[in-house]
Amino acid sequence: MHIEREIKLDFADVLIRPKRSALPSRAEVDIHREFRFKHSRHKYHGIPIVAANMDTVGTFDMARALSPFGLSVALHKHYTEPELVAFFRSLENKSSVFYSMGITRGDEDKFERVVEQAGDAVQYVCIDVANGYTEAFVRFVEKLRQTHPGLTIMAGNVVTGEMTEELILSGADIVKVGIGPGSVCTTRSMTGVGYPQLSAVIECADAAHGLDGRICADGGCAAPGDIAKAFGGGADFVMLGGMLAGHDECAGEVVERDGRRYKRFYGMSSRAAMEKYAGGVAEYRASEGREVLVELRGPVANTVQDILGGVRSACTYVGARQLRELTKRTTFVRIASRGGSALFDG
């Protein structure tokens, strides 16, 4: 047994300290990023915000709605092979969509069939498991990299620097960071396992960037300010689930209660998801997600405008003319009510 005594922080534990700025307006801020990925060598240009690969959020309709803004979507895993082939063949912006997969033989075989039919339309892949610390997961990343050297691979989830490094050295271009911070994830309470998300982002970004890799902060963002904190902490991409739930482009059953209309939103390890896709919760495991009702919010475009406006505004408060400058100009102030008022430079 070992206890780490260094303080670890979530987004709610800090604020970004303002600094002198020469920017006259939010309109002067460029929140696009440009990357050349370590392994695939693909060149990315866009706004590095990704809709999560949850079956209510990671939809074809969401991909079509977010692409004009320069945002991306990680499709959920449960579309059929013909649906995926038809969708990827129709894509104009191939860098705006991640194909999502697990690591079973069935997942692998389905992916190979889709790639065979859709060709180079599939350029970005998200290998997604709850626990990215297993040897089987690392071997799968290595195998996919060897089989498809030109794919841009995002893999996760992990929360520590050493595992971030291992995944990058095994072939991942982007490491997905986060265990338990999501609004409908109960992993922390069910298992006692996790890591405060801001500290995970800071530590994993430091590890990844030393190897010319990238990270995606997955979970824990409840407001645009949290997204700004993730970028300020060093995240290259930020993945959103709950913030994009309840929109017209989301899947999910519509429920009416007390004269209001809602959409169901649930974690992909919840009882609702496992009953839908696996016939129930297996006897050897427990549900690690919950189900909530999100009031209908209309088209996602309105929410996207709020998100992008909030991130631009954060940049003006610290004088970052481009999003890539935000982490260099970020100083986090620990909130006194949560245990102090220390400063942490990003």
Side-chain angles (χ1 to χ4, degrees), residues 26 31 224 303-316:
R26 297 176 182 86
I31 55 174
T303 296
V304 171
Q305 293 284 12
D306 286 343
I307 289 171
L308 302 187
V311 174
R312 287 191 186 96
S313 187
C315 290
T316 65

Side-chain angles (χ1 to χ4, degrees), residues 254-274:
V254 176
V255 178
E256 291 193 22
R257 290 188 180 176
D258 301 323
R260 295 186 176 183
R261 303 177 75 216
Y262 303 83
K263 274 194 176 180
R264 294 191 184 277
F265 175 58
Y266 47 81
M268 295 309 293
S269 291
S270 66
R271 181 176 298 276
M274 286 188 278

Side-chain angles (χ1 to χ4, degrees), residues 165-231:
E165 292 170 342
E166 181 162 359
L167 287 173
I168 290 170
L169 294 173
S170 298
D173 296 291
I174 311 164
V175 175
K176 196 146 68 83
V177 175
I179 294 179
S183 61
V184 287
C185 181
T186 60
T187 295
R188 292 180 181 178
S189 60
M190 288 299 296
T191 69
V193 175
Y195 209 92
Q197 184 70 346
L198 177 60
S199 289
V201 166
I202 292 171
E203 295 170 27
C204 292
D206 181 62
H209 296 163
L211 295 174
D212 199 26
R214 303 292 169 184
I215 71 158
C216 177
D218 177 21
C221 291
D226 295 331
I227 301 172
K229 292 173 188 178
F231 285 131

Side-chain angles (χ1 to χ4, degrees), residues 59-92:
T59 66
F60 294 156
D61 287 341
M62 186 67 75
R64 296 184 186 101
L66 295 188
S67 181
F69 291 95
L71 277 63
S72 303
V73 171
L75 297 174
H76 68 74
K77 305 174 186 178
H78 303 290
Y79 281 119
T80 66
E81 180 182 324
E83 288 173 327
L84 288 163
V85 171
F87 177 75
F88 276 102
R89 283 177 173 172
S90 72
L91 278 180
E92 294 182 6

